[in-house]
Amino acid sequence: MTPFAALHHAPGPLLLPNAWDHASAVALAAAGFPAVGTTSLAVAAAAGLPDGAAATRDETLRLALTLGSAPFLLSVDAEGGFSEDPDEVGEFARQLAAVGAVGVNLEDGLGPVDRHAAKIAAVKRAAPGLFVNARTDTYWSGDGSGTRARLDAYQEAGADGVFVPGLTDPREIAALVRHLDVPLNVLCTPTGPGLPHLTDLGVRRVSLGSLLYRRALGAALETLDDVRAGRTPRGTTPTYAEVDALARPRAQED
């Protein structure tokens, strides 16, 4: 079992914060998180491209190259693998592993089950040590129908864990945990169960997705409103030197 996989079998669930650049990732790791994920929404937004449209393959790989050698475990949000060809998805996963990523998140977008299962199998062939978190959007974009059938197929294809964003009902979460043979990942949402409750339900991984990025944008707008109104900006503001220092470890390695 890899160190990243082991985090899914600790006494409590893996709380995975999602970064969008080098500074945010290093700051999260410095706050005590052993593993950091990326968020496809932020990668796409920063590049002026749509999320979930397979448009950010190069940007995602570039970010993985930036973060893969950092002193934390990196899991990459790769949308649907940026291709419908399983072999191309496997090759992309191989490149992620080559630059230091230890995990990849692959979403099905409610596409054909067999196609997503083939992508998962291709990734496991190309990069056997990469932790594949297979996401289904049955709750994110639908009413939950077909969730178990999809996850069963993804487990059979070799997924190391499964991700069901949008799933918030405690009874449904508990039932799915009992059904699965691999760790269940859910998305942290303001309207869903809190971390202690998710722990009791048996969830093994809790992702923040794009929440931190969206909150950062919200904080920027709130700060602008405060300045415009003559108020002292609220919240925590890292100093220039503190933010500049986040890039130093990488600069020294180079």
Side-chain angles (χ1 to χ4, degrees):
M1 183 180 296
T2 67
F4 185 61
L7 292 176
H8 295 73
H9 298 276
L14 167 63
L15 180 59
L16 188 71
N18 299 78
W20 54 91
D21 61 9
H22 184 270
S24 59
V26 173
L28 293 170
F33 292 93
V36 175
T38 64
T39 164
S40 65
L41 174 63
V43 172
L49 296 169
D51 183 34
T56 56
R57 182 188 188 281
D58 292 344
E59 288 78 7
T60 299
L61 186 58
R62 189 176 302 115
L63 181 58
L65 178 61
T66 300
L67 301 179
S69 60
F72 52 80
L73 300 172
L74 175 67
S75 182
V76 175
D77 183 352
E79 297 186 4
F82 304 111
S83 175
E84 298 307 332
D85 182 336
D87 289 336
E88 291 182 0
V89 176
E91 172 57 21
F92 184 71
R94 186 198 65 76
Q95 293 176 17
L96 290 178
V99 300
V102 297
V104 64
N105 191 74
L106 289 176
E107 60 196 54
D108 65 10
L110 294 185
V113 175
D114 57 349
R115 184 176 65 199
H116 200 60
K119 290 181 183 182
I120 294 166
V123 170
K124 295 307 291 185
R125 288 193 301 269
L130 202 64
F131 187 101
V132 177
N133 197 41
R135 167 178 154 175
T136 184
D137 291 319
T138 50
Y139 281 87
W140 194 247
S141 303
D143 61 2
S145 300
T147 298
R148 289 193 180 189
R150 285 177 176 270
L151 297 185
D152 286 347
Y154 303 161
Q155 288 183 127
E156 183 67 23
D160 301 288
V162 293
F163 183 23
V164 190
L167 175 61
T168 59
D169 182 86
R171 289 173 298 181
E172 294 178 358
I173 291 173
L176 196 53
V177 167
R178 291 192 297 268
H179 175 76
L180 292 167
D181 296 322
V182 297
L184 174 64
N185 179 191
V186 300
L187 188 67
C188 177
T189 63
T191 58
L195 188 60
H197 194 181
L198 291 173
T199 302
D200 293 340
L201 293 171
V203 171
R204 305 312 310 149
R205 173 166 159 178
V206 179
S207 299
L208 272 66
S210 63
L211 178 62
L212 298 181
Y213 178 71
R214 291 182 288 113
R215 291 277 294 179
L217 288 177
L221 294 173
E222 289 175 354
T223 298
L224 182 58
D225 284 342
D226 285 339
V227 171
R228 187 160 47 192
R231 298 187 297 264
T232 300
R234 297 158 288 174
T236 302
T237 305
T239 66
Y240 178 95
E242 288 170 339
V243 174
D244 187 53
L246 295 175
R248 298 301 180 186
R250 179 71 183 182
Q252 290 170 2
E253 289 171 7
D254 293 343

